Amino acid sequence: MQTSGIGISGFACYLPGYRVRLEDWCGWTGNAWDKVQEVVGYSYRLRGPDENAYTMAATAALRLILRNDVDPDRIGLLGLGTESSTDNSAGAVIVKGMVNVALRELGLSPVRRACEVPEFKHACLGGVYALKAAARYLAVDGSDKVAVVVCSDVAEYRRDSSGEPTQGAGAVAMLVEPRGRLLAMDLHHTGSSSAYRGVDFRKPMARFAGSVRGPFVQLRDHPVFNGKYSTTCYLDAVLAAGRDYFSQCGGAPAATLRDMAAIFLHRPYQRMSETGLAFCYLLALALGDAEDLDELGELAAATDVPLPQLIDELREQPDVEALLADGDLAAELFPLASAAARVLRGLPAFAGLMTSLGIDAMRHTGNLYTASLPAWMAAGIEQAATEERELGGRRVLTVGYGSGDAAEFMPMRFVDGWQAAARRIDFAGAMAGGRDVDAAEYAALHAGDDLGERISRPGVFYIDSIGERRGHFDDSGIEYYRYQG
């Protein structure tokens, strides 16, 4: 199986037009702006009442095809990663259908009929699984074709819940080719972990019983989650995938991390990505040589933490499910590592480790669930090209996570001449033109109400109408879409 060179050749993004400034939100809700901007970010986007995961995915996919001059007849796989599906039968084929309508309207050929259209679901990790599947497809039976992977999600939380400031919506499409023009994927040295975690972040269908429908029947997709327990599951999954990755990459794990040109992580909000990276580095030190253990010892001493116990906590697999049996979901399973991570985040060494590329843009993007990781990659790579950084041949590490829980470490490498493809991303353009909403508009949009307007955004798909049974013809609840050319 030939996998050398398979990688990403392009990104394209879509963010809805309605923007919530978190400083305004803090004024409406009485939350502390200083804390919110430090932990979460500056703003996020809300979908319009006539938008969903499919319309956003189709917009991003069409932009990718047009911007990268992709021959639609070469697309052999169109994969969708999402946890915001509104149809339990069809999935990525809906996106393909919309894209083909627009391509025909533009006088172009449609995506080929012989195209696989899988949908991948595992919370925020669905897009990473779709990306790996696309690479495997090209390696096995699609070497003369290309693949498009779209990550699209709607992150919504109940009003007054702890997750409310970490909302967002958007989509990111990636072009995957046998010879990646941006990044080459290292499929032989990935790290994986998965374990069922019960009451971690979930979306049971029973939530929709008795729900009030919006004008386009877009039910509010508020998750069931237990904040502290979900954080524990995240840290446990990242550490487990990290152990798998470091066992394969060879050399000193900490040096491997320090040598990366960038480390992009799943980023529902700013502090979570910082904590995840801090735990990754602590694990790398705990698995390292004497010099690495000395560095870990200095961190342990600075926090009055016993070094042997800290090493054991990082290296060993804790019994997360015991928290359920004990009924203590708020228990701290990583007390020593958490203390060391807090100190580490304040050190200059961590500032050098934490990727600055794209981070300011992400503070204005919000939580995109499965699109969060590729959005950060797109924003960071575009910034690197704008700043004319010399990154050819340099390695990149991506860390994906999905509640429930599962995690993936996937290393990649910048290819020579990556800048040309990077300049076609236009992440800045995707962020432009957002309209700030006031408190009343926020409440209405959060409830799914129609504001009586449609933001004019050429090149965007939207829901035009919803079907209902008419005599012998039944299209109840089926969404009909339109393209704003």
Side-chain angles (χ1 to χ4, degrees), residues 186 189 245-246 249-250 252-264 277 352-357 389 391 393-399 409-414:
D186 183 356
H189 299 96
Y245 170 67
F246 290 134
C249 65
T256 297
L257 291 183
R258 289 191 294 265
D259 187 55
M260 294 290 174
I263 302 175
F264 298 111
L277 180 58
L353 195 66
M354 187 72 193
T355 300
S356 61
L357 291 171
R389 299 202 185 188
L391 298 178
R394 294 287 307 279
R395 300 181 70 209
V396 171
L397 180 63
T398 63
V399 181
F409 278 53
M410 187 186 301
M412 305 185 189
R413 173 181 51 81
F414 277 103

Side-chain angles (χ1 to χ4, degrees), residues 5-145:
I6 293 175
I8 300 172
S9 291
F11 291 88
C13 313
Y14 171 72
L15 297 173
Y18 295 108
R19 181 173 55 214
V20 177
R21 296 178 68 249
L22 282 169
E23 184 173 10
D24 295 339
W25 177 85
C26 286
W28 308 332
T29 61
N31 282 271
W33 167 232
D34 288 347
K35 179 179 180 180
V36 168
Q37 66 173 314
E38 179 182 0
V39 174
V40 181
Y42 302 138
S43 67
Y44 63 83
R45 298 301 179 96
L46 283 175
R47 60 166 167 166
D50 57 353
E51 294 184 297
N52 64 10
Y54 302 130
T55 62
M56 295 188 299
T59 299
L62 182 63
R63 287 178 177 179
L64 183 79
I65 292 170
L66 298 178
R67 196 168 293 154
N68 291 276
D69 197 24
V70 178
D71 178 0
D73 194 52
R74 290 193 63 214
I75 300 174
L77 182 143
L78 172 58
L80 172 65
T82 186
E83 61 175 276
S84 306
S85 301
T86 58
D87 192 304
N88 277 336
S89 176
V93 71
I94 298 175
V95 177
K96 179 187 178 185
M98 276 189 272
V99 168
N100 278 348
V101 167
L103 288 173
R104 291 188 179 101
E105 288 184 8
L106 295 170
L108 301 172
S109 299
V111 176
R112 59 188 289 135
R113 184 71 182 268
C115 176
E116 300 176 20
V117 285
E119 180 175 313
F120 295 81
K121 180 182 74 175
H122 185 90
C124 300
L125 198 61
V128 173
Y129 283 153
L131 179 60
K132 292 185 76 173
R136 290 164 177 158
Y137 161 77
L138 295 178
V140 175
D141 60 352
S143 59
D144 61 338
K145 302 179 182 68

